[in-house]
Amino acid sequence: RKEVEQDPGPFNVPEGATVAFNCTYSNSASQSFFWYRQDCRKEPKLLMSVYSSGNEDGRFTAQLNRASQYISLLIRDSKLSDSATYLCVVNMEGLGGGYNKLIFGAGTRLAVHP
Amino acid sequence: EAGVAQSPRYKIIEKRQSVAFWCNPISGHATLYWYQQILGQGPKLLIQFQNNGVVDDSQLPKDRFSAERLKGVDSTLKIQPAKLEDSAVYLCASSLERLAGLYEQYFGPGTRLTVT
């Protein structure tokens, strides 16, 4: 089983649509969680952190369910500029302790069309 | 603030040849990472440095890959000899020490390697 699993998509949605991405992780000891955005042929960039209480940043809402080991990202009022790959990322303590490492999912592709 | 710099941006080599990538992290960032991203997959950590010491190289194919971070700043990643399956984007990232539960990594633009 992969450590972080995502639906690869692609999700093809019209402008203005609401779209949700899901992600599951296998290690219950995972400590923190993030969504990164990666545009085509570009490097990943942090979109937002995911907090246990859920958090919102403009049109983006992230939620975490530790019991189900499940993370979600909701995008409201999609824009053409939201077209990208969204990477679910889990931060866990490295083997032997003393440091942290990020585990990336394979990403979910979003294509927003006019 | 200058970002993470990487060079070259693109490299095409034949299998069994050698190649080296260079990374200059954001000034003051103690932690440096090298990732491999194969098309259609997420980045996979190859090696993580804390200053100039290695803290995780569990997924580095040590028979052909090597990396160093001299003086705790710049880093180089080398592949010798290259295989077809090494074709990927090699991303360098850096971060400050983990603060307040957050752990943001800043990525460079990557080096796109094609092995023919």
Side-chain angles (χ1 to χ4, degrees), chain B residues 71-86:
Chain B
K71 302 180 181 178
V73 182
D74 293 8
S75 177
T76 55
L77 176 70
K78 296 180 182 178
I79 307 175
Q80 181 180 9
K83 293 185 175 181
L84 295 176
E85 60 260 35
D86 298 332

Side-chain angles (χ1 to χ4, degrees), chain A residues 36 38 43 99-101 105, chain B residues 37 42 48 56 103 105 108 112:
Chain A
Y36 274 68
Q38 186 170 26
E43 71 272 22
Y99 71 97
N100 293 274
K101 61 190 293 183
Chain B
Q37 187 172 24
Q48 178 175 337
D56 189 327
Y103 191 62
Q105 295 184 14
R112 186 173 299 272

Side-chain angles (χ1 to χ4, degrees), chain A residues 3 31-32 34 36 38 40-46 49 51 87 91-92 94-95 98-107, chain B residues 9-10 33 35 37 40-45 48 50 55-56 58-59 91 98 101-110 112:
Chain A
E3 293 179 283
Q31 299 174 335
S32 49
F34 308 92
Y36 274 68
Q38 186 170 26
C40 187
R41 302 180 77 87
K42 298 286 189 181
E43 71 272 22
K45 292 184 179 178
L46 179 66
S49 302
Y51 302 122
L87 300 165
N91 180 28
M92 61 181 71
L95 288 175
Y99 71 97
N100 293 274
K101 61 190 293 183
L102 297 186
I103 308 297
F104 286 78
Chain B
R9 293 294 309 277
Y10 305 91
Y33 317 80
Y35 289 88
Q37 187 172 24
Q41 299 181 20
K44 182 184 83 171
L45 180 69
Q48 178 175 337
Q50 184 75 20
V55 295
D56 189 327
S58 57
Q59 297 196 89
L91 294 161
R98 186 172 179 232
L102 298 179
Y103 191 62
E104 181 171 2
Q105 295 184 14
Y106 296 85
F107 286 83
R112 186 173 299 272

Side-chain angles (χ1 to χ4, degrees), chain B residues 1-9 21-34 49 68-77 90-95 106-111:
Chain B
E1 178 181 81
V4 176
Q6 289 188 247
S7 67
R9 293 294 309 277
F21 312 129
W22 172 82
C23 173
N24 181 239
I26 293 173
S27 178
H29 281 195
T31 310
L32 184 147
Y33 317 80
W34 282 102
F49 292 94
E68 61 181 7
R69 189 183 185 196
L70 299 176
K71 302 180 181 178
V73 182
D74 293 8
S75 177
T76 55
L77 176 70
Y90 291 84
L91 294 161
C92 179
S94 69
S95 70
Y106 296 85
F107 286 83
T111 297

Side-chain angles (χ1 to χ4, degrees), chain A residues 36-79:
Chain A
Y36 274 68
R37 170 188 169 134
Q38 186 170 26
D39 291 300
C40 187
R41 302 180 77 87
K42 298 286 189 181
E43 71 272 22
K45 292 184 179 178
L46 179 66
L47 177 66
M48 60 195 302
S49 302
V50 186
Y51 302 122
S52 297
S53 55
N55 50 298
E56 190 172 304
D57 182 1
R59 298 181 293 106
F60 297 82
T61 301
Q63 294 201 312
L64 167 65
N65 184 322
R66 284 189 184 270
S68 301
Q69 297 180 200
Y70 170 94
I71 306 159
S72 66
L73 178 68
L74 182 77
I75 305 176
R76 293 181 299 277
D77 189 23
S78 299
K79 312 291 185 190

